[in-house]
């Protein structure tokens, strides 16, 4: 059992300090002499008064209460919680990168720009798209950028289409991004196999529709096998296809959405390309576009130009080009989350082309292995085989007295993070499981054993599963109260 950790304010003792500065040996200046009045505090800041070791111990203890992929299996569907190789961290911490300033002249940043340029080329290669921007800071931000590009493109053609079609299996960020960009969102119901319903799509995709926003593989972990026809329907009606490629872990090196007719695609470096995520930390959601949409990408574009050196030999130099008049402009300060790009680039180079294909083969194999281990114990509403993830339903278990939420909580007692629950919305009591390629067979077996044990417990004694977790620092908080009355301030 963990000991409760008090707030750092509760450890405060008046006058205690981390570090005591030597007496000032130059004349002291009052803060009012160099800061404008409006910037001054009216009351002194209420900071905890603690020693340095108090701070270190407090935060180290808190960090150990957290569940993380570095300690345990984390099969959070749609989130691709794969191992983040440490070599990525070493590369991102190289001084040549960390000491660069974004306002430094480009002549001094050639290495950095080459890395960004090359990363764009690799992402093009993997996806089949014609051009990439690395600026968006997350998947949802990539979606918004994509929507802005669609709008700019259509408006340039003189078309004022106002609708975006989104299947009901879509990630919640999809309709939010479309709506934020001023589009009206029309949801279409998936068919009995959990795929886009072609007839419904045909009926819905009219001349006021700007685009279809589709996820492939979709959130049920199924490949949209009619993707060619789907793209044709959108294009025949003069619209575009936006693909949410946050879940590319099943397709790397195997199939390219760009070859299937998709016009815009976002990728999540912090999922598929092993850069860390969670806790709202920095991510990266690059988007790739077709040739026709390239002029609308955010500026600056990282471009390579050939020059001749003094010795008359050809040399490539990299520039930041702002001269793209149709660009939607900047979507992020400077050039995006560079640290994430260095990590993703390192990951891709350390795998190489062959390694990248293996990622997807193993991700799909691991997911199917688990699916088959669990299929006799839980309902699998869609698909007998899956791509990189699958969705089970705890409908049967709910009737016996323990819900998907209870199962998720109980898993913590077995040392596993919960799968994604209650998503996608089209599956009742959904548990969405994504093991990723970086887990061993032993880990998958242990997880399956825990899931099966839980199913058996629910048959006999559902209360064993309901009153959980018992072994974590915090048991089951009142989630409604936490959401409605968050206490975010220490008083
Ligand atoms: C994670 C995810 C997103 C959103 O990505 P963020 O980086 O969290 O903004 C969008 N779509 C799908 C399918 C996802 O899995």
């Amino acid at each position: 059992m963990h000991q409760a950790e008090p707030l750092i304010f509760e450890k405060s003792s008046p006058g205690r300090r981390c570090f005591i500065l030597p007496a000032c040996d130059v004349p002291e200046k009052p803060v009012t002499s160099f800061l404008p009045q409006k910037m001054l505090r009216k009351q002194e800041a209420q900071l905890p008064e603690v020693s340095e070791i108090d701070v270190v111990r407090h935060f180290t203890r808190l960090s150990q209460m957290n569940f993380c992929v570095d300690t345990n299996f984390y099969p959070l569907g749609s989130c691709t919680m794969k191992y983040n190789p440490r070599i990525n961290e070493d590369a991102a911490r190289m001084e040549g990168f960390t000491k660069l300033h974004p306002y430094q002249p480009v002549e001094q940043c050639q290495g950095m720009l080459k890395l960004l340029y090359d990363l764009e080329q690799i992402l093009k290669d993997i996806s089949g798209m014609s051009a990439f921007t690395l600026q968006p800071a997350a998947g949802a931000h990539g979606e918004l950028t994509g929507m802005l590009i669609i709008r700019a493109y259509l408006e340039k053609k003189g078309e004022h289409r106002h609708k975006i079609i989104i299947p009901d299996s879509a990630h919640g960020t999809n309709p939010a991004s479309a709506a934020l960009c001023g589009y009206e969102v029309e949801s279409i119901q998936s068919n009995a196999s959990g795929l886009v319903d072609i007839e419904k799509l045909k009926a819905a995709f009219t001349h006021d529709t700007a685009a279809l926003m589709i996820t492939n593989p979709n959130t049920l972990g199924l490949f949209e096998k009619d993707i060619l026809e789907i793209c044709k329907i959108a294009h025949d009606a003069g619209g575009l296809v936006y693909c949410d490629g946050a879940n590319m872990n099943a397709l790397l090196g195997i199939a390219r959405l760009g070859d299937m007719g998709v016009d815009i695609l976002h990728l999540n470096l912090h999922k598929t390309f092993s850069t860390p995520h969670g806790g709202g930390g920095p991510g990266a959601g690059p988007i790739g576009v077709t040739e026709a949409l390239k002029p609308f990408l955010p500026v600056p574009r990282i471009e390579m130009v050939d020059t001749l050196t003094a010795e008359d030999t050809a040399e490539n130099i990299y520039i930041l080009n702002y001269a793209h008049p149709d660009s939607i402009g900047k979507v992020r300060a400077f050039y995006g989350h560079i640290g994430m790009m260095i990590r993703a680039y390192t990951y891709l180079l350390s795998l190489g082309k062959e390694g990248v294909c293996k990622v997807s083969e193993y991700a799909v194999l691991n997911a199917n292995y688990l699916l088959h281990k669990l299929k006799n114990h839980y309902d699998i509403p869609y698909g007998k085989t899956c791509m990189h993830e699958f969705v089970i339903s705890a409908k049967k278990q709910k009737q016996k007295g323990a819900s998907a939420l209870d199962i998720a909580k109980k898993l913590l007692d077995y040392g596993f993070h919960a799968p994604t629950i209650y998503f996608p919305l089209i599956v009742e009591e959904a548990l969405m499981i994504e093991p990723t390629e970086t887990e061993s067979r032993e880990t998958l077996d242990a997880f399956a054993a825990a899931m099966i044990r839980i199913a058996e417990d629910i048959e006999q004694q559902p209360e064993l599963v309901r009153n959980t977790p018992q072994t974590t620092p915090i048991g089951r908080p009142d989630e409604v109260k936490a959401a409605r009355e968050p206490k975010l301030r220490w008083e």
Side-chain angles (χ1 to χ4, degrees), residues 265-339:
L265 171 77
H266 85 254
L267 301 173
N268 277 23
L269 299 190
H270 49 289
K271 291 179 180 170
T272 315
F273 300 95
S274 86
T275 77
H277 63 311
I287 61 168
V289 297
T290 55
E291 203 58 37
L293 297 177
K294 198 169 155 183
F296 302 91
L297 283 171
V299 282
R301 305 273 311 119
I302 300 159
E303 291 167 9
M304 186 174 76
V305 287
D306 296 330
T307 52
L308 287 179
T309 61
E311 296 84 43
D312 257 10
T313 49
E315 188 185 53
N316 298 329
I317 60 163
Y318 299 89
I319 58 164
L320 290 168
N321 193 353
Y322 287 83
H324 290 285
D326 286 331
S327 164
I328 59 165
K330 257 178 168 301
V331 294
R332 184 80 195 141
F334 303 114
Y335 321 108
H337 289 156
I338 299 286

Side-chain angles (χ1 to χ4, degrees), residues 78 138-140 143 171 173-174 215 219 244 246-247 266 268 270-271:
S78 206
E143 293 166 24
H171 196 267
T173 50
N174 290 189
T215 305
T219 58
D244 178 335
N247 294 310
H266 85 254
N268 277 23
H270 49 289
K271 291 179 180 170

Side-chain angles (χ1 to χ4, degrees), residues 64-371:
Q64 289 170 342
M65 288 181 183
N66 216 352
F67 198 103
C68 60
V69 74
D70 286 347
T71 54
N72 296 71
F73 184 43
Y74 209 131
L76 194 66
S78 206
C79 295
T80 318
M81 303 300 288
K82 64 172 73 174
Y83 170 65
N84 311 129
R86 288 304 177 270
I87 189 160
N88 297 354
E89 299 303 316
D90 289 348
R93 282 168 176 72
M94 285 164 73
E95 281 204 347
F97 295 132
T98 56
K99 294 207 167 151
L100 275 183
H101 191 280
Y103 281 137
Q104 222 162 309
V106 286
E107 306 85 74
Q108 297 171 6
C109 309
Q110 288 295 301
M112 181 80 256
L113 293 180
K114 173 173 167 44
L115 183 150
L116 299 177
Y117 182 86
D118 286 352
L119 177 60
E120 287 185 6
Q121 306 314 306
I122 300 174
L123 297 181
K124 276 162 58 175
D125 225 15
I126 285 177
S127 64
M129 305 308 295
S130 294
F132 261 88
T133 174
L134 302 171
Q135 262 185 49
H141 195 203
E143 293 166 24
L144 178 65
T145 307
M147 289 296 114
L148 290 168
I149 289 175
I150 289 173
R151 198 173 65 187
Y153 167 79
L154 290 172
E155 283 186 357
K156 173 115 195 190
K157 287 201 339 185
E159 295 189 25
H160 304 289
R161 296 171 178 240
H162 58 84
K163 197 170 81 178
I164 300 280
I165 294 176
I166 307 184
D168 61 359
S169 63
H171 196 267
T173 50
N174 290 189
S177 302
L180 202 61
C181 196
Y183 282 113
E184 191 185 301
V185 173
E186 185 174 323
S187 174
I188 53 166
Q189 218 183 354
S190 304
N191 65 20
S193 321
L195 301 175
V196 168
D197 187 317
I198 297 291
E199 291 314 311
K200 289 210 171 85
L201 175 65
K202 270 190 198 150
F205 212 115
T206 49
H207 287 281
D208 56 2
T209 307
L212 165 74
M213 235 179 151
I214 187 176
T215 305
N216 199 13
N218 70 19
T219 58
L220 291 166
L222 305 175
F223 186 77
E224 292 285 354
K225 62 182 171 48
D226 299 321
I227 184 74
L228 298 179
E229 192 179 352
I230 290 169
C231 291
K232 186 169 185 309
I233 293 168
H235 293 152
D236 285 351
L240 297 169
V241 178
Y242 180 98
C243 185
D244 178 335
N247 294 310
M248 271 295 284
N249 220 37
L251 301 189
L252 292 180
I254 292 173
R256 310 198 310 170
L257 285 152
D259 297 339
M260 301 175 205
V262 159
D263 298 287
I264 306 193
L265 171 77
H266 85 254
L267 301 173
N268 277 23
L269 299 190
H270 49 289
K271 291 179 180 170
T272 315
F273 300 95
S274 86
T275 77
H277 63 311
I287 61 168
V289 297
T290 55
E291 203 58 37
L293 297 177
K294 198 169 155 183
F296 302 91
L297 283 171
V299 282
R301 305 273 311 119
I302 300 159
E303 291 167 9
M304 186 174 76
V305 287
D306 296 330
T307 52
L308 287 179
T309 61
E311 296 84 43
D312 257 10
T313 49
E315 188 185 53
N316 298 329
I317 60 163
Y318 299 89
I319 58 164
L320 290 168
N321 193 353
Y322 287 83
H324 290 285
D326 286 331
S327 164
I328 59 165
K330 257 178 168 301
V331 294
R332 184 80 195 141
F334 303 114
Y335 321 108
H337 289 156
I338 299 286
M340 294 303 120
M341 294 156 206
I342 301 169
R343 287 172 175 86
Y345 184 70
T346 308
Y347 174 72
L348 285 163
L349 290 198
S350 51
L351 283 172
K353 272 192 184 171
E354 273 178 34
V356 164
C357 301
K358 286 270 179 281
V359 164
S360 288
E361 288 172 12
Y362 289 145
V364 173
L365 181 65
N366 278 0
N368 280 286
Y369 181 73
L370 266 187
L371 169 65

